[in-house]
């Protein structure tokens, strides 16, 4: 489930997964992101972990498996 795209959280998707903005920001900080604007894409994986994909002009680097425990 895509929960953030283009640096902007998808509030509807977060609500449907029973996550808050604070949960998402905590997970992002845990992976070294300071702002949502640094993130191109965040995906809530079926196992409850969040995969973050950084905005990068040259290539698509990824920071994956942020934190565990978020379940729908």
């Amino acid at each position: 489930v895509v929960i953030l795209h283009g640096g902007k959280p998808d509030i509807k998707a977060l609500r449907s997964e029973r996550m808050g903005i604070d949960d998402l920001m905590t997970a992002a900080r845990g992976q070294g992101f300071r702002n949502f604007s640094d993130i191109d894409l965040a995906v809530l994986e079926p196992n409850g972990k969040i995969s973050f994909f950084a905005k990068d002009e040259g290539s698509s680097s990824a920071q994956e498996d942020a934190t565990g425990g978020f379940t729908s």
Side-chain angles (χ1 to χ4, degrees):
V1 175
V2 174
I3 55 175
L4 182 143
H5 188 269
K8 297 183 191 255
D10 183 334
I11 301 301
K12 187 175 179 181
L14 287 169
R15 280 189 193 139
S16 73
E17 297 299 327
R18 297 188 173 141
M19 284 185 67
I21 293 287
D22 292 336
D23 297 322
L24 182 58
M25 191 69 240
T26 298
R29 280 195 309 267
Q31 290 299 303
F33 293 102
R34 298 176 109 188
N35 301 300
F36 289 143
S37 61
D38 298 331
I39 304 167
D40 183 44
L41 189 70
V43 178
L44 181 61
E45 304 291 354
N47 65 1
K49 296 186 183 224
I50 303 172
S51 295
F52 291 98
F53 299 87
K55 283 186 177 177
D56 191 53
E57 295 179 22
S59 65
S60 57
S61 66
Q63 302 256 339
E64 294 189 7
D65 295 334
T67 62
F70 294 120
T71 58
S72 53

